[in-house]
Amino acid sequence: MKKLLYSIIALSLLTVSCKNEVKQTEEENESHEENVVELTDQQLKTIGIQLGHIEQRQLSGTINATGTLKLSPQNRAEVTSLVAGVTKRILVKEGQNVRQGETVALVENTEIVALQKDYLVASRQLMLAQQAFQRQQDIHEQGAGVGKNLQQAKAELDMASVTEKGLRLQLEQLGINSRQVAQGLFSNAAPVRSPITGVVGEILVSTGSYLGNETVLMKVYDNKALHADLNVFESDIASIHIGQKVSLQLPDHSPTLLTGTVSFVTAALDNESKSASVHVRLDRTLGKRLLPNMFVSAVIHNDGHTCDAVPDEAIVMSANRKFVFVSLGSNRFRKQEVVTGLSQQGYTQITFTDSVSPSSEIVIAKAFYLESMLADHGEEE
């Protein structure tokens, strides 16, 4: 009796389990068929559905970016004086071209006169020390001198030479001619020289202004060395590489475009803008008035490469996502999501989000009819 009871219970559980499996299979099939549309032969002919295959196409594209014209640190300079003092004269004007080492201002300082006096004394002492050493050397060679006196003369010569050299280097740093000072020709002002060749951008002092050691007199820019720093979004960085050609437009919308080449891409991403800086070396810019911090819009040209591509008409949009219809045979088509890339001459690069056979047939024309049929079917449900 107990065996019969156990058999009935087991059979009941097996029946329930089988029903659940059938129900689950039906639900899976229903879910699986959600993105499938089936047409009759007449519908297929009336709509004009065309089938084709994914093609291998050579596509190239462009990336839009914006940025500004910049100067590298070595191409801009702040002009300062090596000594504190009063501005005696300013020898240049804003916008004037200057050469590296050209005197742009004169600074007066009483210490300059004292330094020149010290150098004059040191140069005369060096001359005397040289004469004394030569005299002791001549006496020693004749066998009449004392070795100690020669050594003493040599030590004094070395000391005088070191002193003269140190003061001479100080004068040269200040731009004062040591040969003229050695002849007694003093200057009461030190020249301030431009550290680079370029254009005077801004003069920050006036005649009579007191200058400290860190006071900036003016700024000089070498605008011939301008480059463009472009901000490229995170999603486009993978497509940027050194050597790509770039076209740039100035803010005045002039028909003349600047051209350049990508020279490097920074390795850091800005957290706020989610963009990286792309450095573009400009081609010849003769005749164009370019200034630092000018805004530019740019188009970066991608090199062509072979990729999977379909006609633009094969791609449909739904809920801000992109899809193509893959043929399942027997007039049945499944909507498959894709990620698009480059577009050119009516073809767009695609990558399926799920695995799809490369030999599969896809709908290459009138795909939007299938999308509308799916949408209508969804509304009826």
Side-chain angles (χ1 to χ4, degrees):
M1 184 67 179
K2 289 183 177 179
K3 289 183 177 179
L4 180 59
L5 180 60
Y6 290 154
S7 298
I8 293 172
I9 292 173
L11 182 60
S12 299
L13 292 175
L14 180 61
T15 302
V16 172
S17 176
C18 290
K19 287 182 178 180
N20 288 337
E21 289 180 0
V22 171
K23 183 178 180 181
Q24 182 178 357
T25 302
E26 290 176 349
E27 290 177 352
E28 289 177 353
N29 288 337
E30 183 180 353
S31 175
H32 184 68
E33 297 293 315
E34 281 183 1
N35 288 326
V36 174
V37 60
E38 184 173 355
L39 302 178
T40 65
D41 291 338
Q42 182 61 39
Q43 287 176 320
L44 194 68
K45 182 178 180 181
T46 302
I47 295 174
I49 296 294
Q50 296 181 27
L51 300 180
H53 292 88
I54 301 170
E55 301 182 33
Q56 290 291 302
R57 285 256 173 178
Q58 185 86 4
L59 298 182
S60 61
T62 59
I63 297 171
N64 295 322
T66 58
T68 54
L69 298 181
K70 295 288 186 180
L71 283 172
S72 300
Q74 63 269 29
N75 301 121
R76 60 179 187 266
E78 294 182 340
V79 181
T80 59
S81 174
L82 292 176
V83 294
V86 176
T87 306
K88 181 179 180 180
R89 289 182 61 193
I90 297 174
L91 305 176
V92 294
K93 299 177 181 179
E94 293 181 353
Q96 180 176 332
N97 292 316
V98 293
R99 300 183 308 277
Q100 183 178 11
E102 181 178 343
T103 301
V104 294
L106 297 174
V107 177
E108 286 185 319
N109 186 309
T110 56
E111 295 178 0
I112 297 174
V113 177
L115 179 61
Q116 293 174 91
K117 183 197 69 174
D118 292 342
Y119 176 75
L120 178 60
V121 172
S123 64
R124 297 292 169 81
Q125 289 177 343
L126 175 60
M127 186 185 303
L128 293 175
Q130 290 171 337
Q131 294 173 353
F133 174 73
Q134 186 64 47
R135 185 167 53 253
Q136 289 296 329
Q137 194 172 35
D138 292 342
I139 294 174
H140 181 73
E141 289 175 354
Q142 294 173 4
V146 179
K148 182 179 179 180
N149 292 340
L150 179 61
Q151 293 175 357
Q152 181 68 29
K154 180 64 168 65
E156 291 177 354
L157 174 60
D158 291 341
M159 183 63 68
S161 178
V162 169
T163 302
E164 186 273 342
K165 183 177 181 180
L167 292 170
R168 174 163 46 84
L169 290 177
Q170 289 185 53
L171 290 176
E172 290 176 356
Q173 277 189 316
L174 296 176
I176 298 175
N177 191 320
S178 59
R179 292 184 179 180
Q180 292 182 352
V181 174
Q183 297 172 5
L185 302 175
F186 285 15
S187 172
N188 63 351
V192 179
R193 303 185 188 280
S194 174
I196 64 171
T197 297
V199 178
V200 178
E202 185 178 7
I203 298 176
L204 304 173
V205 298
S206 304
T207 301
S209 299
Y210 179 80
L211 307 177
N213 290 333
E214 298 180 356
T215 303
V216 178
L217 283 77
M218 61 190 70
K219 297 180 180 180
V220 178
Y221 303 103
D222 182 7
N223 290 340
K224 293 180 181 179
L226 279 168
H227 68 268
D229 277 347
L230 304 179
N231 300 314
V232 176
F233 289 113
E234 180 180 9
S235 58
D236 294 323
I237 287 298
S239 302
I240 305 298
H241 60 82
I242 294 173
Q244 282 177 289
K245 296 299 182 181
V246 183
S247 300
L248 303 102
Q249 178 75 53
L250 295 175
D252 59 1
H253 303 290
S254 168
T256 303
L257 292 176
L258 298 175
T259 58
T261 306
V262 174
S263 56
F264 70 82
V265 182
T266 56
L269 194 70
D270 184 82
N271 287 329
E272 294 184 2
S273 64
K274 294 300 180 183
S275 64
S277 179
V278 174
H279 181 107
V280 177
R281 183 179 63 252
L282 299 180
D283 297 334
R284 296 181 64 187
T285 58
L286 296 178
K288 302 179 179 66
R289 183 171 176 78
L290 304 180
L291 300 173
N293 300 318
M294 267 188 174
F295 176 84
V296 292
S297 56
V299 175
I300 304 172
H301 302 279
N302 276 326
D303 298 331
H305 66 279
T306 303
C307 58
D308 292 338
V310 297
D312 293 342
E313 194 177 352
I315 302 170
V316 296
M317 288 283 295
S318 177
N320 293 324
R321 296 153 66 192
K322 297 179 180 180
F323 301 86
V324 298
F325 283 91
V326 179
S327 174
L328 302 177
S330 302
N331 296 347
R332 298 171 69 246
F333 307 93
R334 178 185 294 121
K335 187 168 74 170
Q336 296 279 157
E337 185 175 1
V338 294
V339 177
T340 59
L342 298 174
S343 293
Q344 188 179 34
Q345 296 179 344
Y347 280 80
T348 297
Q349 177 186 3
I350 64 165
T351 303
F352 285 100
T353 58
D354 295 324
S355 177
V356 173
S357 172
S359 61
S360 297
E361 282 191 311
I362 64 169
V363 176
I364 62 173
K366 307 301 177 64
F368 61 92
Y369 281 109
L370 300 182
E371 172 60 25
S372 63
M373 293 177 70
L374 276 180
D376 292 342
H377 179 67
E379 290 177 1
E380 290 174 1
E381 293 179 348

